[in-house]
Amino acid sequence: MHPTAIQTDTDFNTEAIRVFGHQFENNPIYRSFCDLLYVHPSDVDCITQIPFLPIQFFKSHRVLTGNPEISAVFTSSGTGGQPSQHFVSHLEDYERSFRTNFENNYGSASNYVVLGLLPSYLERQHSSLVYMVDKLIQASGHPQSGFYLNEHELLFETLKKLESKNRKTLLIGVSFGLLDFTDNYKIKLKNTLVMETGGMKGRRKELIREELHQTLARGFNQKEIHSEYGMTELLSQAYSRGNKRFECPPWMQVSCRDTSDPLSNGKKSGGLNIIDLANVYSCSFIATQDLGKIYSNGQFEVLGRFDTSDIRGCNLMVL
């Protein structure tokens, strides 16, 4: 079953257990991690029993399932240390994942002029976010769609023109880029959806999401700011459509672990664990560095990050 074909919890649970068994047998890094925890597929009959690989291993190891040909390597910014690397075998799997999820949430990209304000991401190669936004820009089919680095005046004039024509627009930007823009330009947007992708990347003071959204809402004169939650190590994203709560696609689930016990799972708040079944050729079961809260309907909030995120969990395994 292709991950995007998953629609029900039953489908998800069945496929997650199958993928766990496959990655246990064919991913040496993940197999070694599970062996240290004495967890074998024969012991697992529900997804809460599946171990989550600390995300730090994407910085220090080639996290690969099988021996696939590599089509692309997505890398993180490496802010504060070694960058993560995600080896992708089939780019079409990534494209199918983000296109399907975007369309399920917002409709076809062809309905929008897509503007990407992604400084720092555009200044380096191999960003999965830039790859996704570039494909959305292409799919929009509008000549006004495109990327902006630091051309705030040009972006301001473009937004004014699009607003004057009542053109439906998506402005997707890294948080510090959007804040830098609103520091110098004020504009009343009626036809533009503003979406932040997180990340100050050491460029500005970190803000909690509520404060960030309040600042951006004032700057863009918007009632709601949307958010995208993704990362280098994932091939899927979650979206928040203005209520601070992220919603996963059917092939992705988020749970919480106790902050003092990296092997726990099923908490209402704590460190975020992610199952991303689109990660067919890497690892679908990842313990992130983010702190969050889970709601009964499966939605989640991101509350912050571990202060010692580069250390926590890594002493479980040295290869």
Side-chain angles (χ1 to χ4, degrees):
M1 175 183 292
H2 191 276
T4 58
I6 293 172
Q7 295 296 326
T8 68
D9 287 342
T10 299
D11 288 344
F12 182 90
N13 293 341
T14 300
E15 185 66 4
I17 291 175
R18 186 196 70 78
V19 170
F20 167 62
H22 176 71
Q23 293 186 342
F24 177 90
E25 295 294 344
N26 296 282
N27 186 321
I29 300 301
Y30 188 51
R31 170 65 178 265
S32 297
F33 179 73
C34 292
D35 284 345
L36 286 173
L37 301 179
Y38 300 102
V39 176
H40 187 273
S42 61
D43 305 318
V44 172
D45 53 24
C46 69
I47 60 175
T48 59
Q49 298 169 319
I50 296 174
F52 288 84
L53 184 73
I55 199 169
Q56 294 91 328
F57 287 110
F58 281 82
K59 295 184 176 184
S60 56
H61 297 79
R62 290 171 61 95
V63 182
L64 276 171
T65 296
N67 188 31
E69 292 186 9
I70 304 302
S71 298
V73 181
F74 291 135
T75 61
S76 67
S77 63
T79 302
Q82 178 75 17
S84 292
Q85 291 187 305
H86 191 174
F87 297 89
V88 179
S89 178
H90 296 87
L91 279 170
E92 57 267 28
D93 288 339
Y94 180 42
E95 292 184 25
R96 184 170 175 179
S97 175
F98 70 67
R99 285 182 190 274
T100 303
N101 193 25
F102 182 87
E103 290 175 2
N104 287 345
N105 282 275
Y106 297 102
S108 172
S110 63
N111 295 332
Y112 300 86
V113 176
V114 180
L115 308 177
L117 182 60
L118 301 172
S120 79
Y121 288 88
L122 289 171
E123 294 168 318
R124 62 180 177 84
Q125 296 181 327
H126 311 303
S127 163
S128 59
L129 176 60
V130 169
Y131 186 92
M132 179 183 77
V133 176
D134 183 51
K135 293 299 182 183
L136 293 177
I137 287 172
Q138 293 178 35
S140 79
H142 291 282
Q144 301 98 325
S145 294
F147 283 109
Y148 292 81
L149 185 58
N150 296 303
E151 306 96 335
H152 290 173
E153 184 175 357
L154 178 59
L155 176 60
F156 178 68
E157 294 299 327
T158 300
L159 286 170
K160 283 201 304 182
K161 290 178 182 177
L162 292 170
E163 285 289 330
S164 69
K165 296 178 181 179
N166 294 317
R167 186 62 59 84
K168 194 173 181 180
T169 302
L170 168 64
L171 172 60
I172 180 169
V174 65
S175 298
F176 75 83
L178 294 171
L179 287 171
D180 287 348
F181 178 83
T182 57
D183 281 345
N184 298 297
Y185 296 92
K186 303 300 179 186
I187 186 170
K188 188 173 183 178
L189 299 178
K190 295 182 179 179
N191 305 293
T192 301
L193 187 156
V194 180
M195 180 185 294
E196 56 89 8
T197 67
M200 294 302 183
K201 303 296 181 184
R203 304 285 281 267
R204 294 181 65 126
K205 176 186 175 183
E206 290 285 348
L207 301 175
I208 61 172
R209 180 162 273 105
E210 183 175 2
E211 184 179 0
L212 169 66
H213 282 207
Q214 289 175 350
T215 303
L216 293 178
R218 287 194 299 269
F220 289 109
N221 197 25
Q222 296 266 288
K223 290 184 178 179
E224 296 177 336
I225 301 296
H226 292 227
S227 299
E228 180 261 358
Y229 179 84
M231 57 186 66
T232 299
E233 300 85 357
L234 302 178
L235 294 184
S236 300
Q237 305 78 33
Y239 289 107
S240 170
R241 290 178 282 186
N243 63 355
K244 298 186 299 181
R245 297 185 183 184
F246 289 96
E247 186 170 348
C248 295
W251 57 91
M252 175 183 175
Q253 281 190 14
V254 176
S255 58
C256 280
R257 65 185 183 274
D258 192 311
T259 56
S260 62
D261 181 3
L263 303 183
S264 64
N265 196 22
K267 304 295 181 179
K268 290 185 178 180
S269 63
L272 294 181
N273 290 341
I274 296 179
I275 300 177
D276 181 5
L277 297 180
N279 278 14
V280 176
Y281 295 100
S282 55
C283 182
S284 290
F285 312 97
I286 297 175
T288 77
Q289 300 168 354
D290 292 327
L291 295 167
K293 180 179 180 180
I294 307 296
Y295 292 88
S296 58
N297 61 0
Q299 295 179 342
F300 68 98
E301 281 189 60
V302 180
L303 304 176
R305 291 168 68 84
F306 285 116
D307 291 335
T308 55
S309 56
D310 283 332
I311 299 174
R312 189 180 300 269
C314 279
N315 61 349
L316 290 172
M317 174 179 165
V318 178
L319 293 180

